[in-house]
Amino acid sequence: MVKKLLKPDCIFESSWEVCNKVGGIYTVLSTRAKTLQTALQDHVIFIGPGLWNREDDNYTKEESPYFKEDNSLFAEWQWEAKESGLKIRVGRWTVPGEPITILVDFVPFFEKKDEIYGWLWEKYGVDSLHAYGDYDEASMFSYAAALVVESFYKWKEKSGEWNNNTKVIYHANEWMCGLGALYINNHLPQIGTIFTTHATSIGRSIAGNMKPLYDYLFAYNGDQMAGELNMQSKHSIEKQTALHVDCFTTVSDITAKECVELLDKPVDVVLPNGFDNSFVPKAAQFGRKRKAARRRLLDVANALLGEQLDDDTLIISTSGRYEFRNKGIDVFVEAMNRLLRDRDLKKKVVAFIEVPGWVGEPRKDLQERLKSKQEYTTPLEVPQITHWLHNMSHDNVLGMLKYFDMHNRKDDNVKVIFLPCYLDGKDGILDMTYYDIVLGNDLCIYPSYYEPWGYTPLEAVAFKVPCITTDLAGFGLWANSVFGHYGEITDGVKVIHRTDYNYSEVADNIKDTVAQFSNFTQKEIDECRKNAETLSKKALWSEFIKYYDEAYDIALRKAEERKKNKN
């Protein structure tokens, strides 16, 4: 007999990336919101940091482009919460589903942080002594988010709407929300707690510090490595949260192995990251947008390079966070360098590296050329980059291009262009958003070394762009499991086997795949694109939300058990 799952009456979910577009977690939450909102009808409430619309200099004075305030939502509670000292704003997150969202100001809690950390040490043994960087900011937000939930829960209880039988979930994302999960665990044991680590802080740090992660994973001691890499505080809050919440989760089987070895805690459920394709353009609009994206990318390339590359040019890209080794940006450049000399390459290639660096300003000379709409025959100075950086002489991408003597010369069949900014539609050069640009690619390449899931390849295939990834990415492993074999480019996703030591082999494999793709007929390309789109539909939230239902059930059953024991 199939066990009937317990369903939550209300879900609170907190993350630093609620209404704050920083990385992949924003995509996880914002695309899942519609599915949750459909199921729970305004009984899912996201909690994010109050970074916007502020007077102090540390945060922006502008309004968040992703948040729409609504003072009528829970008006009575808003008044009560503010009277009790909580500085909150209530409204809706402007993503599909428009879920209710509370942004909380955490700055007032800095003056209490020693007291909060003392409580955390006494109750859970969390070491905050070695904190630096974003630890304090994240922790104070996490604490403030928990106080918001406590205040709201007590208001609902007082009004008689909620009682001992009301099933409530608190879902915390990443170490940054760990403190709040532990607070709820301690102060509101009737709430089921879930903690998702999207990447272990220590695993990411091991990989980012050029240490071999996978072959030695079984031998690493997480606590010892945290000391060696100066990660004690982040590792400590992450580990203790994992050990004490009702349901501990991560996003892929590959990260689940990390959790066992580095956090000494197996996950209860793997929650793969789905996608909401409602904003992927349909039919005729898709064709128009793809043409516009290709035209803009080629216009920028031609203005920068002094070329006349036409629509037959193979447009490829890599994108994501600027983690040079973890995201495989180094292998991407290596592969493009080798492709320069590949006789099997049948088309000209322009390869974009779309990762935000320490950007200064858009290039005025490039802006002028684009504005003039003229054709140019001479390249601009430094024809590898679209925006000036603050650290031009110490940038990894530019340094590697210089090392390989890759200067986008006239005779080079492969040109590499670095777009070192967020593609938010206002960068000063492309002036188109990432989702409006990605569909202009012929091929996307994400040769990740450390990638717990991998939204970039999933986004690419959702926009019908075949891509290359690795089996060190959760998405790559998942794709292989769907195919029943290692994905080939003809499947829509090529999955390359990657280890701690086969960097050169991976670069060759990418080079060969791009050359292979350049030889495809239009019919073969169309088939690749169709297969990419078909795979993406198997990763929609409607397919993956069942794993969340399982996590909610586990957390609620633990909370029910506590209630019984208390009575």
Side-chain angles (χ1 to χ4, degrees):
M1 192 173 128
V2 180
K3 178 181 80 172
K4 191 178 178 190
L5 298 178
L6 293 181
K7 300 274 189 183
D9 297 308
C10 184
I11 297 169
F12 293 97
E13 184 157 4
S14 68
S15 168
W16 186 257
E17 298 192 33
V18 167
C19 295
N20 181 33
K21 201 169 190 174
V22 179
I25 298 172
Y26 181 92
T27 311
V28 179
L29 273 58
S30 63
T31 59
R32 176 162 41 82
K34 187 181 173 192
T35 306
L36 287 180
Q37 178 72 324
T38 302
L40 285 155
Q41 297 296 324
D42 275 355
H43 288 86
V44 55
I45 298 172
F46 287 94
I47 306 172
L51 303 169
W52 306 82
N53 196 18
R54 300 178 55 93
E55 292 307 314
D56 48 281
D57 293 333
N58 294 323
Y59 306 98
T60 178
K61 292 178 172 61
E62 297 169 12
E63 181 55 274
S64 167
Y66 315 109
F67 178 73
K68 188 169 61 184
E69 192 162 11
D70 183 349
N71 291 321
S72 68
L73 283 167
F74 316 124
E76 188 189 326
W77 171 71
Q78 284 199 51
W79 181 83
E80 274 192 28
K82 286 167 185 170
E83 283 291 298
S84 72
L86 283 172
K87 295 170 91 172
I88 55 165
R89 299 177 69 207
V90 182
R92 293 191 181 271
W93 193 353
T94 55
V95 293
E98 296 215 331
I100 294 173
T101 301
I102 301 167
L103 301 184
V104 59
D105 184 358
F106 52 88
V107 173
F109 298 101
F110 275 108
E111 62 189 41
K112 283 178 64 181
K113 78 179 170 68
D114 290 344
E115 181 189 325
I116 294 165
Y117 290 157
W119 173 85
L120 200 56
W121 168 255
E122 285 166 23
K123 288 286 180 188
Y124 295 100
V126 173
D127 167 16
S128 301
L129 279 177
H130 299 88
Y132 64 92
D134 55 354
Y135 184 89
D136 288 343
E137 196 175 47
S139 297
M140 293 309 101
F141 158 62
S142 183
Y143 180 74
L147 294 186
V148 164
V149 173
E150 183 178 44
S151 167
F152 191 92
Y153 190 97
K154 288 181 174 173
W155 173 69
K156 281 284 193 183
E157 220 173 22
K158 191 173 67 178
S159 69
E161 286 184 60
W162 287 3
N163 57 40
N164 207 35
N165 295 319
T166 307
K167 298 177 180 67
V168 181
I169 287 286
Y170 181 73
H171 188 166
N173 288 277
E174 285 287 78
W175 68 266
M176 306 171 94
C177 290
L179 195 162
L182 294 178
Y183 181 94
I184 296 288
N185 191 266
N186 185 263
H187 287 74
L188 294 161
Q190 65 273 43
I191 293 180
T193 50
I194 299 174
F195 174 53
T196 301
T197 181
H198 295 257
T200 66
S201 57
I202 198 65
R204 189 188 288 280
S205 188
I206 290 168
N209 278 280
M210 307 301 284
K211 294 177 182 291
L213 177 62
Y214 302 99
D215 283 1
Y216 293 95
L217 190 56
F218 72 95
Y220 281 125
N221 177 295
D223 298 345
Q224 181 190 331
M225 291 308 296
E228 187 179 317
L229 297 169
N230 197 19
M231 293 285 290
Q232 296 100 316
S233 294
K234 289 181 183 179
H235 172 68
S236 183
I237 185 68
E238 186 173 42
K239 181 174 177 177
Q240 295 310 315
T241 308
L243 291 170
H244 287 95
V245 290
D246 296 320
C247 182
F248 174 44
T249 70
T250 192
V251 297
S252 66
D253 292 335
I254 200 162
T255 318
K257 288 176 188 166
E258 261 180 71
C259 293
V260 173
E261 300 296 341
L262 301 175
L263 300 178
D264 303 325
K265 174 73 168 73
V267 299
D268 297 298
V269 192
V270 170
L271 305 175
N273 289 333
F275 197 66
D276 168 35
N277 66 353
S278 62
F279 52 85
V280 176
K282 305 289 183 284
Q285 191 196 13
F286 186 97
R288 281 196 304 276
K289 286 205 158 201
R290 178 166 161 77
K291 270 186 186 166
R294 292 181 69 77
R295 189 165 56 247
R296 188 61 184 168
L297 287 165
L298 290 171
D299 283 350
V300 168
N302 287 332
L304 183 64
L305 304 167
E307 299 258 358
Q308 282 81 48
L309 298 167
D310 60 23
D311 197 46
D312 196 43
T313 305
L314 210 57
I315 299 176
I316 65 181
S317 74
T318 192
S319 55
R321 230 193 239 119
Y322 200 166
E323 294 179 11
F324 195 61
R325 183 199 189 203
N326 286 356
K327 298 294 183 189
I329 302 164
D330 52 354
V331 191
F332 180 84
V333 176
E334 177 84 48
M336 294 306 104
N337 181 48
R338 295 181 186 191
L339 192 62
L340 270 167
R341 285 167 286 282
D342 195 304
R343 291 181 180 176
D344 292 330
L345 183 67
K346 292 294 180 278
K347 290 186 175 181
K348 289 194 170 183
V349 171
V350 59
F352 290 93
I353 298 172
E354 299 161 2
V355 294
W358 190 14
V359 70
E361 60 177 4
R363 295 181 60 159
K364 298 278 192 298
D365 52 358
L366 180 53
Q367 285 177 323
E368 283 164 16
R369 279 194 174 188
L370 287 166
K371 202 172 173 182
S372 76
K373 295 190 167 34
Q374 293 176 26
E375 287 187 357
Y376 293 86
T377 53
T378 54
L380 290 173
E381 192 183 344
V382 198
Q384 302 101 321
I385 193 162
T386 58
H387 295 65
W388 297 124
L389 298 173
H390 291 297
N391 58 334
M392 293 288 289
S393 57
H394 295 93
D395 178 78
N396 282 328
V397 169
L398 293 179
M400 195 166 182
L401 291 173
K402 186 178 178 183
Y403 175 78
F404 283 137
D405 194 30
M406 294 172 75
H407 293 286
N408 291 341
R409 295 179 178 91
K410 214 59 162 176
D411 297 335
D412 292 343
N413 282 328
V414 179
K415 310 285 204 288
V416 179
I417 296 173
F418 186 20
L419 261 164
C421 55
Y422 280 104
L423 297 181
D424 57 2
K426 320 178 271 209
D427 63 86
I429 299 294
L430 266 184
D431 287 336
M432 291 174 78
T433 65
Y434 180 73
Y435 285 149
D436 281 335
I437 279 293
V438 71
L439 78 178
N441 287 285
D442 293 297
L443 207 55
C444 287
I445 301 172
Y446 310 104
S448 304
Y449 173 74
Y450 184 82
E451 189 74 78
W453 176 248
Y455 252 118
T456 40
L458 176 50
E459 288 166 337
V461 294
F463 283 92
K464 305 182 193 178
V465 181
C467 71
I468 301 169
T469 186
T470 74
D471 60 356
L472 290 184
F475 175 79
L477 274 183
W478 172 80
N480 282 346
S481 72
V482 174
F483 298 141
H485 60 259
Y486 263 80
E488 291 296 335
I489 200 63
T490 47
D491 295 313
V493 175
K494 163 88 173 176
V495 184
I496 297 172
H497 177 54
R498 186 157 190 200
T499 69
D500 288 320
Y501 303 110
N502 70 341
Y503 170 99
S504 186
E505 192 183 313
V506 173
D508 264 343
N509 213 324
I510 293 168
K511 167 191 76 82
D512 293 342
T513 305
V514 177
Q516 176 195 357
F517 192 86
S518 75
N519 284 272
F520 281 177
T521 63
Q522 190 56 50
K523 187 181 174 187
E524 288 171 318
I525 290 169
D526 291 343
E527 191 63 24
C528 275
R529 290 172 63 79
K530 186 180 163 196
N531 290 341
E533 183 187 22
T534 301
L535 178 69
S536 76
K537 287 182 175 168
K538 291 178 178 168
L540 292 176
W541 279 117
S542 54
E543 300 287 329
F544 284 169
I545 203 67
K546 61 189 177 193
Y547 301 107
Y548 281 79
D549 291 336
E550 195 183 331
Y552 298 147
D553 177 72
I554 291 169
L556 290 171
R557 284 182 191 279
K558 293 261 186 80
E560 295 278 302
E561 200 59 40
R562 279 195 296 273
K563 286 178 199 171
K564 278 181 197 166
N565 293 339
K566 189 180 174 187
N567 295 334

